[in-house]
Amino acid sequence: AWPSTLLIQPRDFHFPSKSLQTMLSICSTGEKRIKLDFNGLHHHMQLDVETSEVFFELRRLGIEKIDLEYSSDYGNAIMMCKFLRPKHINLSSSVHAICDFLFESLDVCTESLNLSNIKLTPDNTRFTSLGGLSSLTKLRCLNLSGLDLVNDKNLALFQHLPDLTDMDLSNCRNITSYQHLNPNLRKLNLSRCGNVDDPVGLGNLTKLEYLDMCYCDGINLEEYGTRTIAHMTRLRVLNLDSNSRIM
């Protein structure tokens, strides 16, 4: 019996193409979720005619998720995201695997995007802005953990995305204000974001159910708690661990 999720990895493309096409044919007979796992891919894939046909079939069936974690070729990322139009994309810890053009190639139906710990080196001038993400109106989950490019101005780009409910901003040390966070958020990770003195902007997040603010020593939650957390009537989980200014 075939599992509900079909996992395809780069080595599969070294098989005779008919073998992969047979897998896809069986997959297409029922409700299957297809995941492409290209974790650690460091070379650009040269697609021959037969393999290209497989990609057309993948697109027809619909891709649930593409995993390009630790990848180093942004050409692969652009090709796969633009052509296959996955709902969920993982580019965590990739090196040179993203650029401004990649965001333009993302499909409007993208629901979750993981850009955590992207390795931005001084010569990586291809990635300069997060502005292209503001057009992803179906985005529900966005992970920007550890991304130095995240700042107060960039947070405003996501403020009006209607479906965004889950955001990970942990280790984003260039954030100094919470005034521009999306009010529809239900889950928010702000751990190790200690450069915000006044968390008053959190008071607008009345739909929050989960809030992680551990290791945020710069915030005096004892003083501002009544102006923020008191308004979060739906809050179920609150993590304030390792905050020295909480008595």
Side-chain angles (χ1 to χ4, degrees):
W2 284 82
S4 60
T5 300
L6 175 62
L7 177 64
I8 300 176
Q9 298 174 307
R11 61 175 179 267
D12 294 325
F13 290 94
H14 296 294
F15 294 162
S17 58
K18 289 186 179 180
S19 298
L20 185 53
Q21 288 175 338
T22 300
M23 292 168 57
L24 296 176
S25 176
I26 295 175
C27 178
S28 64
T29 60
E31 292 295 327
K32 306 291 183 182
R33 293 178 298 173
I34 303 175
K35 175 184 175 182
L36 298 184
D37 186 353
F38 295 119
N39 190 313
L41 186 63
H42 299 301
H43 62 278
H44 189 68
M45 294 182 61
Q46 300 294 331
L47 301 182
D48 56 26
V49 174
E50 292 181 337
T51 307
S52 296
E53 291 177 354
V54 172
F55 266 69
F56 274 105
E57 181 67 8
L58 287 171
R59 176 171 173 172
R60 186 186 70 80
L61 293 174
I63 300 299
E64 182 77 10
K65 180 179 180 179
I66 287 182
D67 189 341
L68 285 161
E69 186 173 7
Y70 294 105
S71 298
S72 61
D73 193 306
Y74 74 100
N76 286 317
I78 291 175
M79 175 189 70
M80 295 177 191
C81 293
K82 185 175 184 178
F83 183 76
L84 297 175
R85 300 176 182 174
K87 291 183 179 180
H88 310 285
I89 303 170
N90 181 10
L91 287 166
S92 176
S93 302
S94 57
V95 183
H96 293 298
I98 60 175
C99 62
D100 295 336
F101 183 70
L102 170 62
F103 295 149
E104 297 172 6
S105 70
L106 294 180
D107 190 78
V108 70
C109 293
T110 301
E111 296 181 9
S112 71
L113 182 61
N114 186 346
L115 298 175
S116 63
N117 299 308
I118 295 295
K119 300 298 188 293
L120 295 179
T121 56
D123 61 330
N124 190 352
T125 57
R126 294 180 294 241
F127 182 40
T128 59
S129 171
L130 294 172
L133 298 180
S134 61
S135 63
L136 302 180
T137 55
K138 298 297 183 182
L139 198 62
R140 295 185 294 105
C141 178
L142 180 60
N143 187 340
L144 300 175
S145 174
L147 194 59
D148 291 339
L149 201 60
V150 177
N151 53 36
D152 301 338
K153 180 180 179 180
N154 283 329
L155 284 182
L157 296 171
F158 315 114
Q159 190 172 15
H160 302 293
L161 291 178
D163 293 338
L164 187 61
T165 58
D166 185 339
M167 205 166 186
D168 189 337
L169 298 170
S170 58
N171 286 295
C172 291
R173 302 181 185 277
N174 292 326
I175 297 175
T176 62
S177 171
Y178 297 143
Q179 295 290 344
H180 301 297
L181 289 169
N182 192 310
N184 293 318
L185 289 175
R186 296 182 181 180
K187 183 176 181 180
L188 178 61
N189 188 345
L190 293 172
S191 61
R192 300 183 186 277
C193 294
N195 292 328
V196 183
D197 293 327
D198 186 350
V200 64
L202 293 177
N204 299 323
L205 307 181
T206 57
K207 297 180 181 181
L208 268 188
E209 299 177 3
Y210 176 99
L211 177 60
D212 189 340
M213 295 185 71
C214 65
Y215 294 97
C216 291
D217 283 340
I219 298 176
N220 190 339
L221 286 170
E222 185 179 25
E223 179 180 352
Y224 294 109
T226 56
R227 292 177 6 183
T228 56
I229 298 174
H231 296 283
M232 302 176 188
T233 56
R234 299 185 183 183
L235 199 62
R236 296 182 178 181
V237 178
L238 175 62
N239 185 0
L240 299 176
D241 186 39
S242 300
N243 283 296
S244 60
R245 300 182 69 178
I246 297 178
M247 301 301 292

